[in-house]
Amino acid sequence: MFTATYVAQQLLNGIVLGSMYALLALGMTVVYGILRLINFAHGALVTVGAFTFFGIFVVLGWPFALALVAALVVGGVMGFLLDLVGYRKLRGGPEVSLLITSLGIYILLENFIKLLATPQPYAFRPPAFLVQLHNVGGVAFRTVDVFIVAVSVLIMVAFALFVKRTKLGIAMRATAESVEAAQLVGIGVNQVVAVAFVLGSAVAAITGFMWGAKYGQISYDMGFMAGVKAFVAIVIGGIGSIPGAMIGGFILGLVETLAVGFLPPGFAEYRDAIVFTLLILVLLLRPTGIMGRKEAV
Amino acid sequence: MRRWTSLPGGVKFLLGIAALFLVLFIANSTLNRYVLHVITLIGIYSVATTSLNLTNGYTGLFSLGHAGFMAVGAYVATLLTFPVRLRIAYNLPLLPSFLGGPEYQWPFLPALIVGGIVAAIAALFVGAPVLRLRGHYLSVASLGFMVIITTLAKGLKDLTRGAAGIQAIPRYTNIWWVYAWLVVTIYVIWRLLNSSYGRAMLAIRESETAAQSQGIHPMRYKLLSFVIGAFFAGIAGGLYAHFARSIRPYEFSFYMTFHIVIMLIIGGAGTLLGPTVGAAIVIALKYVLKPVEEGLGIYGLVEIIYALMLIGVMLWRPEGIAGGVNPLKFLMPKRKGGS
Amino acid sequence: MPLLEVDRIHVYYGVIPALVDLSLAVDEGMIVALVGANGAGKSTTLKAIAGVLRPRAGRIRFRGQDITRLGADRRVRLGIALVPEGRQIFSTLSVRENLLLGAYHRRDPEVKKDLEWIYSLFPVLRERMHQVAGTMSGGEQQMLAFGRALMSRPKLLLLDEPSLGLAPLVVREIYRVIEQIREAGITIFLVEQNVNMAMHVADYMYVMEAGQLKMEGVPQEVMRDEDIKRAYLGG
Ligand SMILES: Nc1ncnc2c1ncn2[C@@H]1O[C@H](COP(=O)(O)OP(=O)(O)OP(=O)(O)O)[C@@H](O)[C@H]1O
Ligand SMILES: [Mg+2]
C-alpha cells in the first residue's frame, strides 16, 4: 500500500504546514487571551506579508533579507495601527463588537490588496537557494521546508522565553488572566495589548512569506482560510494556552495533510471540510481542547 | 380619528402590510424591470438578514454560517422544483425517491418549505454541540459549517453538478413571493419575541447567568432561535435560487455571510425593521457603485466601502442606522417595568 | 494638605448609583479605616481611588495633584496601591512572578532589596517562591497580595478587607504586618468588617451607609455613638 517513504513524505509536509498554522495560532491566541477576540484580520496580515515580500523582492528586485525584514516591519506596524484605530475604542464593550469589527477589517485589507494588486494570483518565486531540491532516503524536500520548520521553531522558542522570562512577557500572561488586576499592579494594558498585536502581526506577515514560498503562489484572498484555521488550531490545542496553540497548529497541519494523502483521491477537495469537521468533533467531545482549562460561558 | 400610536400592535401591523403591498403594487405597475429586479433582491436579502437578526440581534449569539443555511435551502428547493424534462439533460440523477425521485417536479411553495426545514435540521446538528459553549465557538463552528456545505456542494457532483452549479432553474420568485415571505418572517419573529420564548431570549442576551437564575434554560432558547433563523435563511436561499435561476457553490461564500452581517449591523441589530433598511441601503449602494467599480477598473471598491461602513458603524453608531429611529418600535416586546 | 482627598464624588454602576456625593481625606502617615454594612460602597470607594472605576462627578486629589482622569496603572506609578477584595493575585503565575509584577513600573536597582524586605515580612513567601500562586492557601494568597502591592513602593496602601475569611491567628499576623508597614512610612486606608480590629489600629475612622458618609472621627469617639455601637458591635 503506502511505502515508508511516502508516509515520511506526508509527515514532513504535515509538519511544514503545521509549523505555519502554529505560528499563526500563536499570534492569535495571545490576543484572544487578553481581549477574547477572534481576530479575523489576523489572516489578512498573512496576505500583507506575502505581498510585501513579493513587491520588494520580486518587483523591486531588492535583497532577500531586506524583503524579509520589510515584511516583518510592515506586519508589525499594521498590527499596531489596527489595534490603535480599530479595536482600542471597542474594548470593554460587548465582545461581539470586536469580532464584527475584525471581520470588517479583514474585508477592508483583503480588498485593498485586491485593488492594489488586481484579483489575479501571482507566481511566488523565492530566491533560488530556497527552492533547491534535496533527497534524503527517498523523501524529497526543498530548502524552504527546512527554513520554515527551523524559523518556526526559533520563533516559538523565542516567544516561550519571552513570556516566561521577561517582565513584559510575564505582564502579558498576567493581563490575560485578569485585566483589572493587571492595571492594579501598574501594567499599562494598552501597551501590553499593542505589543501582542505587533508581535503576532509581524509573525503572521513572516508566515505569509513562508506560505508563498512553500506553495509557489500568492493571491489577495490567501490569508482568510489560513487565519480561520489558525483559530481551529487554537480550539484543538485548548483556548488560552500558548503551548496548546502550537500543538494544535501541528496537529491540524498533520491531520489536514495526512487526510489528503491517505484518503482515496476524490477526497482531496474535501480538505477544508475535514478540518472543520474535526473542529466540530473537538467541540463536541473535548471542548477544552488538549491543554486548555474550562472557559466560562 | 385615533392617533397612530394609540392603535393596537396587530392593527398597525395589518395596516403596515396593506401599505407595503399598495406601494409594491404601484411600483410593480410603474417602475421598469431593472428597478423591480433590485427591489426583489432587497426583499430576498431582507428575509435572510431578518432571520440572521433572530440569532445575532436578539439572542447575542453570533453565527457566521448564514450563507451555509441559505445554500442548503437553495439546493434543496432547486432539486425539488427542477423541471423533470431537464433532469436527464442536466445530469441530476441522485435526487432521492422519497423527495419525488426523477419523475416528480414539486410546486414552489412546498419545495421552499422543505428547503427551510432541511436547513433547520442542519442547524440543529451544528447548534447542539456548539451552543453550550461560549459565543465565539459558534461563530467559528458556523463558519466551518458553511465551508463544509460549500465543499459538499462542490464535491457531490451527482447531486449538485459540483462547481459547475445548476442552471435553468425555473424562475418562480417574484416581488409578491418575496415580500409575502418577508412579512411572514417578520410576523413570526415578532410573535416569537412577544411570547414567553421571546422574553427569555432577550433575557439571555442581557445576561446568560441572570437568565439562568430566573429558571430560564439558555440552551433551549439559543437552539430554538438558531434553528428558526436557519429555517428562514433556507427560505431566503430557495427564493434566491429561483430568482437568480442559477446557483454555484462558491456563491454561498464568506462574502455572502459578510454582506448579510453588514446589512444587519448597518440597519441595526435587534430591531424588527432594521434588517430591511440595512438590506436596502447595502444593495442600493452596490447597484450605484458597481458601474463605477467596473468603469474605473478598481476591483474591490464596493467591498472596501462596505467594510468602512461596517467599521464606522461599530465605532461610532453601534445601534445601527435604523436602531435609533425605528418606526416599528411598537412591535418590540415590553420590558417589565421598563419604558 | 492631606495625602489623599476625595472631593464629592459620584460613582455609578450603569444607572445604579453606588457612591453619592462622597468626600473624605487621608492624612500622611496615618492608618484610616472605612467601615460600613455590606453593600455600603466601601469597595467601590477604594476602586474609585485606585482608578478602576471612574466617578461621574467630583474630584480625587493625591498629594495635591488631580488624578481623577488618570488610569489605574498611572496611579500606581504615583504611589497608590490597592490590595483588592478577594486578593486577585495572578493564580497561574508563580509567587515570585507575582511579586515582580508588583514592581512593574520600577526601573530602580532597589527592587531586589524590596523583594528581600517582603520575604522578611512574610517568610512563607520565600519558601513558596516558585509555587504557582493559585495553589496557595487563602492566608498565603493574602500575604502575596500584600507583598505584590508593597513591591510598587506605594505612598498610600489601600486595603480591602484584609482579614476576610482568615483564621484568627493569620488575622493577627496580617495586622502585625500592617503596623510594620505604617512604621515604614506608608499611609494606609483600610476597609474592614472586623470593626474591633479596625478600631485598634486606626487613627481615624469613616463610617459609610448606602453610598454616603454617615460619620467620622477618632475611633473611640465614633464608637461612643449608640447607633454605631448597635450596628457594629452587636449592642
Ligand atoms: N459590578 C457591579 N455592578 C453593579 N452593581 C455593583 C457592582 N459592584 C458593586 N455593586 C453594587 O454597589 C453597591 C456597593 O458595593 P460595594 O462592593 O462597594 O460594597 P461594600 O461596601 O464593599 O460591601 P461588602 O462589605 O459586602 O464588600 C452594592 O449595592 C453593590 O450591589
Ligand atoms: Mg467590599
Side-chain angles (χ1 to χ4, degrees):
Chain A
M1 265 291 282
F2 301 112
T3 62
T5 41
Y6 181 78
V7 175
Q9 184 81 57
Q10 295 300 322
L11 283 174
L12 177 76
N13 287 336
I15 288 171
V16 173
L17 180 61
S19 309
M20 294 190 282
Y21 285 152
L23 286 183
L24 293 178
L26 188 67
M28 251 179 145
T29 203
V30 175
V31 168
Y32 184 91
I34 301 173
L35 298 181
R36 298 287 177 278
L37 157 69
I38 302 177
N39 185 16
F40 278 95
H42 201 66
L45 270 309
V46 174
T47 322
V48 167
F51 274 86
T52 305
F53 179 89
F54 182 83
I56 290 178
F57 181 73
V58 179
V59 180
L60 298 179
W62 291 2
F64 169 73
L66 191 72
L68 213 51
V69 171
L72 200 70
V73 170
V74 169
V77 170
M78 292 271 303
F80 179 78
L81 290 178
L82 292 186
D83 169 47
L84 188 70
V85 181
Y87 301 128
R88 188 162 293 180
K89 188 163 179 259
L90 294 171
R91 272 181 227 152
E95 286 166 7
V96 79
S97 312
L98 283 169
L99 178 82
I100 297 171
T101 307
S102 84
L103 277 178
I105 291 178
Y106 176 80
I107 299 281
L108 183 70
L109 291 179
E110 173 175 305
N111 284 282
F112 196 66
I113 295 166
K114 185 175 170 185
L115 192 147
L116 287 179
T118 75
Q120 102 229 23
Y122 292 87
F124 190 91
R125 265 178 243 96
F129 78 92
L130 276 182
V131 287
Q132 198 172 19
L133 212 52
H134 308 273
N135 193 318
V136 175
V139 179
F141 57 93
R142 295 174 191 279
T143 316
V144 68
D145 295 319
V146 182
F147 176 88
I148 290 173
V149 176
V151 172
S152 302
V153 170
L154 201 73
I155 291 175
M156 287 181 233
V157 170
F159 193 81
L161 287 176
F162 167 71
V163 293
K164 194 75 206 153
R165 293 284 161 77
T166 68
K167 203 150 123 180
L168 192 57
I170 298 171
M172 202 172 265
R173 284 188 286 144
T175 312
E177 198 183 311
S178 162
V179 169
E180 185 180 304
Q183 284 175 330
L184 283 176
V185 298
I187 296 172
V189 171
N190 282 345
Q191 183 204 5
V192 169
V193 171
V195 170
F197 267 100
V198 168
L199 292 182
S201 304
V203 170
I206 287 297
T207 314
F209 158 75
M210 294 174 175
W211 202 278
K214 169 75 180 159
Y215 300 112
Q217 182 178 309
I218 59 173
S219 62
Y220 70 95
D221 59 354
M222 62 187 278
F224 183 69
M225 264 303 151
V228 176
K229 284 183 189 169
F231 189 77
V232 176
I234 293 174
V235 174
I236 293 174
I239 264 184
S241 156
I242 291 171
M246 300 191 229
I247 294 171
F250 281 108
I251 290 178
L252 188 64
L254 282 168
V255 166
E256 193 178 323
T257 311
L258 298 184
V260 175
F262 290 95
L263 287 174
F267 280 88
E269 54 188 317
Y270 290 108
R271 78 192 279 162
D272 292 344
I274 291 168
V275 168
F276 286 107
T277 311
L278 179 69
L279 169 76
I280 290 175
L281 285 178
V282 169
L283 290 178
L284 192 59
L285 303 174
R286 196 183 159 81
T288 54
I290 297 168
M291 309 279 292
R293 284 162 287 131
K294 184 149 175 51
E295 199 180 19
V297 175
Chain B
M1 222 188 105
R2 293 175 71 179
R3 297 277 308 272
W4 161 253
T5 46
S6 65
L7 290 172
V11 175
K12 280 188 264 190
F13 193 76
L14 285 176
L15 286 175
I17 295 173
L20 170 70
F21 278 89
L22 188 68
V23 170
L24 286 178
F25 183 78
I26 295 168
N28 198 30
S29 47
T30 55
L31 298 174
N32 64 33
R33 283 186 53 193
Y34 180 72
V35 180
L36 287 175
H37 175 95
V38 176
I39 292 177
T40 313
L41 195 63
I42 289 174
I44 295 172
Y45 271 99
S46 297
V47 174
T49 311
T50 305
S51 68
L52 183 69
N53 194 19
L54 180 63
T55 25
N56 289 12
Y58 291 117
T59 51
L61 300 169
F62 204 81
S63 160
L64 290 175
H66 227 55
F69 297 118
M70 287 177 70
V72 171
Y75 271 96
V76 169
T78 298
L79 289 175
L80 294 177
T81 64
F82 203 69
V84 168
R85 63 193 160 77
L86 291 180
R87 284 190 191 185
I88 304 299
Y90 273 82
N91 193 20
L92 289 171
L94 253 185
L95 186 65
S97 52
F98 68 90
L99 288 177
E103 302 302 327
Y104 182 69
Q105 179 186 343
W106 287 52
F108 190 34
L109 184 62
L112 271 181
I113 290 175
V114 171
I117 290 173
V118 176
I121 293 170
L124 203 61
F125 279 99
V126 184
V130 177
L131 285 174
R132 53 201 169 90
L133 304 168
R134 204 186 173 99
H136 289 136
Y137 294 93
L138 178 73
S139 304
V140 173
S142 58
L143 183 68
F145 164 76
M146 186 190 78
V147 174
I148 293 172
I149 289 296
T150 47
T151 328
L152 284 178
K154 251 182 272 175
L156 299 174
K157 297 194 177 63
D158 289 337
L159 194 60
T160 65
R161 303 188 68 230
I166 302 176
Q167 287 81 37
I169 301 167
R171 176 154 195 171
Y172 290 141
T173 300
N174 59 27
I175 209 165
W176 308 114
W177 275 106
V178 167
Y179 281 87
W181 270 109
L182 180 58
V183 168
V184 171
T185 313
I186 292 179
Y187 178 77
V188 168
I189 290 175
W190 172 44
R191 291 314 305 241
L192 203 66
L193 289 174
N194 280 291
S195 68
S196 58
Y197 271 78
R199 280 185 287 274
M201 283 179 189
L202 290 180
I204 291 167
R205 182 178 67 170
E206 296 302 317
S207 161
E208 197 156 313
T209 339
Q212 238 157 354
S213 68
Q214 290 167 32
I216 296 169
H217 192 43
M219 176 68 192
R220 222 174 66 215
Y221 294 97
K222 282 169 53 177
L223 197 57
L224 184 82
S225 73
F226 191 57
V227 166
I228 294 177
F231 172 80
F232 285 108
I235 298 288
L239 289 169
Y240 176 78
H242 294 83
F243 170 74
R245 303 199 57 208
S246 79
I247 47 174
R248 289 183 194 80
Y250 68 78
E251 284 175 75
F252 300 95
S253 67
F254 173 66
Y255 268 91
M256 186 180 261
T257 286
F258 176 67
H259 288 156
I260 300 170
V261 169
I262 292 190
M263 292 170 191
L264 180 61
I265 300 297
I266 287 180
T271 63
L272 265 183
L273 216 58
T276 306
V277 175
I281 293 174
V282 169
I283 291 175
L285 199 66
K286 185 188 197 119
Y287 277 86
V288 172
L289 289 175
K290 209 70 194 175
V292 179
E293 177 176 300
E294 275 157 19
L296 299 176
I298 32 180
Y299 296 98
L301 179 70
V302 175
E303 303 296 339
I304 287 178
I305 289 172
Y306 283 173
L308 287 174
M309 281 168 71
L310 179 72
I311 298 167
V313 167
M314 287 316 297
L315 288 178
W316 292 295
R317 203 182 152 83
E319 74 278 14
I321 286 171
V325 281
N326 186 2
L328 288 195
K329 235 188 189 130
F330 65 89
L331 293 178
M332 296 299 294
K334 304 246 175 346
R335 289 232 212 112
K336 259 178 271 165
S339 54
Chain C
M1 180 183 64
L3 181 68
L4 174 80
E5 279 174 281
V6 172
D7 186 5
R8 309 193 65 173
I9 58 167
H10 294 248
V11 175
Y12 286 74
Y13 289 107
V15 294
I16 307 157
L19 300 182
V20 182
D21 205 24
L22 181 79
S23 299
L24 50 83
V26 177
D27 282 321
E28 190 145 13
M30 290 205 170
I31 295 184
V32 177
L34 176 63
V35 298
N38 290 116
K42 305 180 299 292
S43 299
T44 307
T45 307
L46 290 193
K47 283 184 184 170
I49 297 169
V52 184
L53 293 171
R54 294 293 162 83
R56 200 168 285 181
R59 307 260 124 226
I60 299 173
R61 278 181 290 273
F62 184 65
R63 307 171 89 196
Q65 183 192 349
D66 187 341
I67 58 167
T68 319
R69 303 262 141 249
L70 293 186
D73 53 310
R74 299 279 306 281
R75 296 189 197 191
V76 175
R77 262 165 245 201
L78 291 178
I80 300 176
L82 168 65
V83 178
E85 199 173 16
R87 292 137 205 168
Q88 296 202 25
I89 52 151
F90 301 112
S91 59
T92 56
L93 271 51
S94 75
V95 168
R96 192 163 176 278
E97 285 171 336
N98 267 280
L99 290 174
L100 287 178
L101 281 182
Y104 183 74
H105 68 279
R106 289 174 56 186
R107 304 258 178 277
D108 55 295
E110 308 234 311
V111 173
K112 282 254 153 56
K113 221 180 82 193
D114 287 358
L115 201 56
E116 283 307 313
W117 178 52
I118 303 295
Y119 286 152
S120 70
L121 284 178
F122 305 105
V124 63
L125 294 184
R126 190 200 300 276
E127 292 160 32
R128 301 295 170 86
M129 201 151 85
H130 296 295
Q131 188 171 333
V132 173
T135 61
M136 297 206 303
S137 77
E140 290 162 351
Q141 291 191 10
Q142 185 62 276
M143 294 175 198
L144 178 57
F146 263 66
R148 188 180 65 181
L150 289 174
M151 283 299 287
S152 70
R153 280 213 170 172
K155 298 185 179 63
L156 173 65
L157 186 63
L158 309 169
L159 301 174
D160 198 345
E161 303 202 23
S163 64
L164 191 71
L166 301 182
L169 213 67
V170 187
V171 173
R172 223 169 302 147
E173 162 96 7
I174 294 273
Y175 271 88
R176 180 184 57 78
V177 173
I178 290 178
E179 299 274 9
Q180 272 179 283
I181 294 169
R182 188 241 296 263
E183 273 149 37
I186 297 171
T187 309
I188 291 170
F189 188 40
L190 168 74
V191 164
E192 189 51 270
Q193 291 275 347
N194 189 336
V195 175
N196 260 328
M197 268 327 224
M199 253 178 73
H200 281 109
V201 295
D203 304 307
Y204 201 76
M205 206 157 166
Y206 288 99
V207 182
M208 270 186 93
E209 200 178 270
Q212 280 170 310
L213 215 54
K214 182 143 187 273
M215 224 189 141
E216 62 180 286
V218 292
Q220 290 73 11
E221 211 173 282
V222 170
M223 280 307 147
R224 233 173 281 137
D225 187 278
E226 286 304 320
D227 285 355
I228 304 283
K229 233 193 247 169
R230 212 170 309 120
Y232 295 102
L233 298 174

